[in-house]
Amino acid sequence: MLRGRLLLFLPFAIPVLLVSLVGIGGYVAFTKARVDSLTTADAIIVLGGEHDGREAYGISLAQQGLAQTVVLSDPYGSADPTMKKYCAASTSNIEVLCIPPSPSTTRGEAMFTQDLARERGWNHVIVVTWRYHLPRARYIFDQCFDGTVTMRPTPRAYDFSLVEWEFTYLYQIAGFVKAGVQGPCTQSASD
């Protein structure tokens, strides 16, 4: 009798346990991801994704004197109004470069950063992305970029539902698995 009840309970308990593990683990690993302290760098690299203020934040960091070059990842195409605005934001003190990553992924962004670092003699970059992407972006940049990386989140709040958080965490976990399978970058984006 007890064994029969246990067998009826398991199909419900296992999914609840898995969802709980992803939620709690994701919260600790991604929502509470480590944020590095800001220091001056050779360039600020703004990763592609949502237009959630990250472009403006990257440029504001340069305006604060943290770097003279801002590189905006531009996988959006020439018709994107947000990128048109920020790609034209160079001043006499700040150079803004807009580069389409190839491949159009975080790995492609890390690869073009490595290429630029070799060309320009960069040793340290600040990477701007959304908070829950910081651990995976750090891992990928460690695989593809030879210099020092300071990871900074776009300053914003996320009002996701529990389902959206679960999806976000699962997406980041899958991205980690993909990055692990791909391994270190062996060639530059320009090769």
Side-chain angles (χ1 to χ4, degrees):
M1 183 99 159
L2 181 61
R3 184 175 178 187
R5 287 185 187 164
L6 184 60
L7 289 176
L8 287 174
F9 176 73
L10 281 178
F12 299 104
I14 291 172
V16 168
L17 180 63
L18 289 175
V19 167
S20 298
L21 287 173
V22 167
I24 293 167
Y27 178 79
V28 171
F30 303 115
T31 302
K32 294 297 184 180
R34 177 173 58 107
V35 175
D36 298 327
S37 299
L38 284 170
T39 60
T40 57
D42 298 308
I44 298 162
I45 312 297
V46 179
L47 303 186
E50 299 175 55
H51 292 310
D52 56 1
R54 67 184 63 202
E55 297 88 0
Y57 179 60
I59 290 171
S60 76
L61 293 175
Q63 291 168 338
Q64 294 170 43
L66 292 164
Q68 292 182 323
T69 302
V70 178
V71 180
L72 302 176
S73 177
D74 186 7
Y76 311 101
S78 61
D80 186 283
T82 300
M83 294 311 290
K84 279 184 180 181
K85 173 184 174 183
Y86 290 110
C87 289
S90 289
T91 67
S92 59
N93 298 325
I94 300 169
E95 174 188 34
V96 177
L97 304 172
C98 288
I99 300 177
S102 178
S104 190
T105 62
T106 305
R107 184 179 181 91
E109 293 164 332
M111 290 165 63
F112 77 52
T113 300
Q114 179 63 31
D115 288 347
L116 287 167
R118 280 192 197 121
E119 291 169 16
R120 293 172 169 238
W122 295 345
N123 296 308
H124 178 204
V125 296
I126 298 169
V127 174
V128 175
T129 189
W130 53 98
R131 176 80 182 233
Y132 50 83
H133 185 234
L134 289 176
R136 183 165 62 94
R138 182 186 308 274
Y139 179 73
I140 292 168
F141 269 75
D142 285 348
Q143 290 180 308
C144 300
F145 178 66
D146 294 335
T148 302
V149 177
T150 297
M151 300 300 296
R152 294 298 296 187
T154 305
R156 65 164 280 202
Y158 302 94
D159 58 350
F160 291 169
S161 70
L162 289 176
V163 171
E164 289 170 312
W165 279 120
E166 284 288 319
F167 175 79
T168 298
Y169 298 150
L170 286 170
Y171 185 88
Q172 294 304 318
I173 291 166
F176 259 112
V177 170
K178 178 182 173 186
V181 168
Q182 287 178 318
C185 296
T186 55
Q187 63 182 15
S188 69
S190 63
D191 288 346

